[in-house]
């Protein structure tokens, strides 16, 4: 997959592309990430990319012509262009799985007060990473790239994302490692005996328990199997409901 990130602050991505799993994915050709400076598409001597809002008001607005030139130069019919904005539809794991199938993602980051409304004509969709306002679209672009890249073949082991929270509609089961005993807390015995049938049962139940306690909203539309229905009843009794 090719990812292009259009930004006014390219340096913000230096750490992102040069560390950890993202760097390894780039080195292994799982994906490429190109950071493009929107400012290079300003025709002005002083490279302005924004202007005051028509009709007055606070702040500055990113100009449509500069962004359009940048998009024309950095996208093709194979590109899926996503604009980062708090006005977009809310991002989740399902969307990450959908974006992972795209050949080329072009992520457009805004800054200042916002984009000229007419920019919306040139994008395929608008995404928000949550109901809060950030200073720009750079962190959202990292969130989206990171969550998509880790789903690509050979980025991490497949099992790692099959067990992810949200991937099967539930939160992930609890994980432990050595030391077996710490500060009075012991790793559950079932994880130490090597019986994989019992381990899987434990994980399924604890995944349901976590979801029930922390994110009951996820269970509202969840398709319970007969076994899971029984487990939920047992969990409710265990927690005194
Ligand atoms: N730009 C500013 N805030 C944002 C958000 N929550 N999601 C996406 N882009 C943004």
């Amino acid at each position: 997959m090719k990812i292009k990130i259009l930004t006014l602050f390219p340096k913000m991505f230096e750490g992102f592309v040069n560390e950890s799993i993202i760097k390894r994915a780039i080195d292994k050709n799982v994906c490429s990430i190109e950071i493009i400076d929107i400012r290079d598409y300003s025709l002005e001597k002083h490279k302005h990319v924004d202007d005051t809002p028509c009709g007055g008001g606070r702040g500055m607005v990113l100009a449509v012509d500069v962004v359009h030139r940048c998009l024309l130069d950095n996208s093709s019919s194979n590109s899926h262009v996503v604009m980062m904005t708090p006005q977009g539809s809310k991002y989740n794991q399902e969307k990450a799985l959908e974006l992972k199938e795209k050949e080329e993602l072009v992520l457009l980051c805004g800054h200042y007060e916002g984009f000229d409304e007419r920019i919306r004509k040139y994008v395929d969709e608008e995404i928000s990473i949550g109901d809060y306002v950030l200073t720009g679209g750079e962190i959202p672009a990292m969130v989206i790239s990171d969550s998509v890249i880790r789903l690509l073949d050979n980025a991490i082991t497949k099992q790692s994302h099959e067990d992810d929270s949200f991937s099967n509609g539930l939160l992930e089961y609890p994980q432990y490692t050595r030391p077996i005993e710490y500060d009075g807390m012991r790793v559950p015995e079932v994880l130490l005996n090597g019986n994989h049938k019992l381990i899987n049962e434990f994980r399924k139940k604890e995944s349901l328990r976590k979801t029930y306690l922390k994110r009951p909203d996820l269970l509202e539309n969840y398709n319970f199997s007969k076994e899971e229905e029984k487990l939920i009843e047992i969990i409710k009794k265990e927690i005194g409901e």
Side-chain angles (χ1 to χ4, degrees), residues 83-87 110 127-137 140:
M83 176 167 141
M84 307 299 124
T85 161
Q87 298 176 13
I127 291 181
S128 160
I129 60 160
D131 290 343
Y132 41 81
V133 180
L134 299 163
T135 56

Side-chain angles (χ1 to χ4, degrees), residues 103-118:
E103 198 172 309
E104 177 173 282
L105 276 183
V106 176
L107 306 180
L108 171 61
C109 310
H111 244 266
Y112 311 109
E113 293 307 308
F115 296 92
D116 185 308
E117 190 66 21
R118 293 166 292 182

Side-chain angles (χ1 to χ4, degrees), residues 20-39:
S20 186
I21 290 171
I22 304 302
K23 177 178 178 359
R24 234 183 305 143
I26 296 168
D27 291 346
K28 285 196 291 184
N29 282 327
V30 168
C31 65
S32 66
I33 301 186
E34 203 180 331
I35 310 293
I36 288 129
D37 192 343
I38 299 173
R39 207 171 289 281

Side-chain angles (χ1 to χ4, degrees), residues 12 21 26 33 43 76 94 98-99 107 110 121 136 142 146 151 163 176 216:
M12 284 181 75
I21 290 171
I26 296 168
I33 301 186
L43 301 180
S76 66
E94 200 183 330
E98 187 188 314
L99 294 183
L107 306 180
K121 180 174 171 192
M142 289 183 217
D146 187 289
L151 294 173
D163 288 341
Y176 302 86

Side-chain angles (χ1 to χ4, degrees), residues 6 66 80 87 93 127 137 150 167 193-194 214 230 232:
L6 280 40
V66 181
H80 185 71
Q87 298 176 13
Q93 190 68 15
I127 291 181
R150 67 185 288 287
S167 65
N193 66 18
K214 295 186 173 186
K230 275 190 216 146
I232 279 284

Side-chain angles (χ1 to χ4, degrees), residues 175-189:
Q175 297 270 33
Y176 302 86
T177 187
R178 272 154 287 279
I180 302 301
E181 182 106 30
Y182 186 74
D183 199 19
M185 296 175 286
R186 195 171 160 74
V187 173
E189 223 50 51

